[in-house]
Amino acid sequence: MADNLMKVKIITPDRVFYEGEAVMVEFNTSEGEIGVLKGHIPLTVVVAPGILNITEEDGVKKAALHAGFAEILQDSVVIMAEIIEWPAEIDVQRAEEAKERAEERLRSRTPETDIARAEVALQRALARIYVIDK
């Protein structure tokens, strides 16, 4: 392993999504976006919906990461994700429809509208759409 590489493992309830070595990992947390390099201060964070960027020595891999937790150590990152998808796994039409439904719920707010749920649904749909477009 090169001096600047760290181990990265991403696990979902039904599979090991990714396991390899990376120069950097970037993703959204409940506190904002984070970029992790080898030697990062140990940290545990809550994952927020957005794009996961895994920078390997030969390029960047992107995925739509929706929720979970991450354990960051000085030489490794482990993400325990509820849902994460490679671009090829995403149904574009379904993502667009989910975006439209969430936007409509937010536009036509009623006392029964769960605003937080609609906002998270919109973030997830946008992450799916963005990762496909890139």
Side-chain angles (χ1 to χ4, degrees), residues 1-109:
M1 181 157 81
D3 286 343
N4 66 334
L5 295 178
M6 63 185 162
K7 295 178 183 175
V8 178
K9 188 170 189 177
I10 303 167
I11 306 163
T12 70
D14 54 343
R15 67 179 169 158
V16 175
F17 179 80
Y18 174 89
E19 190 166 13
E21 297 177 340
V23 175
M24 182 167 65
V25 179
E26 300 168 278
F27 56 94
N28 289 340
T29 74
S30 58
E31 301 297 316
E33 191 172 353
I34 188 170
V36 181
L37 299 167
K38 185 174 181 181
H40 196 286
I41 185 169
L43 192 61
T44 302
V45 296
V46 176
V47 172
I51 304 301
L52 167 75
N53 292 301
I54 303 169
T55 304
E56 298 176 326
E57 286 186 302
D58 59 350
V60 178
K61 291 183 177 180
K62 294 182 179 290
L65 176 58
H66 301 296
F69 297 91
E71 176 189 50
I72 300 165
L73 301 174
Q74 290 193 342
D75 62 353
S76 67
V77 175
V78 176
I79 298 173
M80 293 154 283
E82 289 178 30
I83 303 170
I84 185 167
E85 303 161 297
W86 295 116
E89 299 172 330
I90 297 169
D91 180 331
V92 180
Q93 182 176 347
R94 187 170 165 232
E96 289 285 352
E97 291 168 357
K99 175 182 170 275
E100 290 171 16
R101 282 191 308 272
E103 288 173 338
E104 179 57 32
R105 279 196 304 264
L106 291 170
R107 268 194 305 274
S108 62
R109 294 179 183 194

